[in-house]
């Protein structure tokens, strides 16, 4: 039996949020073949990318960049440390601050990350300029939502 629903914008196919959500899952799946042999999850890979850009980042700053709270981030970092990708170290100037540093193994997997990204770029049509435009639009959307869009009255 087919039911006709009024077009109130509440079908799954009409939802931008679902399109973004399902695309995020597709990205995770696209990176999995490259990361799985290394024993890395996609969120762990994101942490490594932050550290490849700048080593010795404070845990709280990694959390801010990835929008993760310490309850989620701490176990993730402990697993990365146990696997030998990073080491945690208290800041000598402020013992309350924990910094994360790459190990040799953590630096070595950057090549795999670059290869994985190249594969994803290829799967998306290989046009870097289009990917960067889309990334900018998605980032703008995220920031607008975080700022709090006006609510209908």
């Amino acid at each position: 039996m087919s039911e006709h629903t009024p077009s109130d914008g509440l079908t799954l196919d009409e939802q931008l949020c679902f399109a973004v959500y399902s695309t995020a899952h597709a990205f995770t799946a696209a990176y999995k073949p490259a990361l799985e042999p290394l024993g890395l999850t996609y969120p762990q890979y994101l942490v490594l990318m932050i550290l490849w850009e700048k080593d010795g980042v404070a845990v709280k700053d990694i959390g801010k960049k990835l929008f993760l709270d310490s309850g989620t981030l701490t176990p993730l970092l402990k697993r990365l440390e146990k696997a030998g990708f990073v080491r945690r170290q208290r800041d000598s100037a402020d013992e309350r601050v924990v910094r994360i540093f790459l190990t040799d193994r953590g630096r070595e997997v950057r090549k795999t990350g670059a290869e994985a990204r190249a594969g994803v770029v290829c799967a998306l049509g290989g046009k870097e300029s289009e990917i960067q435009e889309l990334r900018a639009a998605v980032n703008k959307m995220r920031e607008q939502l975080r700022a709090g869009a006006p609510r209908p009255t």
Side-chain angles (χ1 to χ4, degrees), residues 57-60 88-91 95-100:
V57 178
V59 171
K60 68 176 180 134
R88 294 179 298 155
Q89 180 179 317
R90 295 229 173 250
D91 189 296
E95 288 279 320
R96 297 170 296 179
V97 175
V98 176
R99 296 194 175 278
I100 307 299

Side-chain angles (χ1 to χ4, degrees), residues 51-125:
L51 297 172
W52 293 330
E53 189 176 332
K54 180 183 177 197
D55 204 6
V57 178
V59 171
K60 68 176 180 134
D61 294 329
I62 293 171
K64 284 180 188 174
K65 266 191 122 66
L66 296 179
F67 306 100
L68 295 175
D69 61 39
S70 63
T72 302
L73 187 57
T74 299
L76 186 153
L77 292 171
K78 285 182 178 180
R79 286 190 299 275
L80 275 173
E81 185 176 41
K82 186 176 179 182
F85 292 103
V86 301
R87 65 181 172 81
R88 294 179 298 155
Q89 180 179 317
R90 295 229 173 250
D91 189 296
S92 57
D94 185 348
E95 288 279 320
R96 297 170 296 179
V97 175
V98 176
R99 296 194 175 278
I100 307 299
F101 293 89
L102 290 164
T103 62
D104 288 342
R105 183 174 188 208
R107 282 186 283 279
E108 288 167 6
V109 297
R110 183 177 181 146
K111 182 180 180 203
T112 302
E115 291 167 356
R117 183 185 184 281
V120 169
V121 169
C122 184
L124 292 172

Side-chain angles (χ1 to χ4, degrees), residues 3-24:
E3 288 187 34
H4 178 68
T5 13
S7 182
D8 59 2
L10 292 179
T11 63
L12 194 58
D13 289 343
E14 294 176 288
Q15 301 304 305
L16 175 60
C17 58
F18 181 72
V20 171
Y21 171 82
S22 58
T23 301

Side-chain angles (χ1 to χ4, degrees), residues 33-48:
L35 300 178
E36 197 169 51
L38 300 170
L40 287 170
T41 64
Y42 186 71
Q44 291 170 334
Y45 171 66
L46 297 177
V47 169
L48 292 177

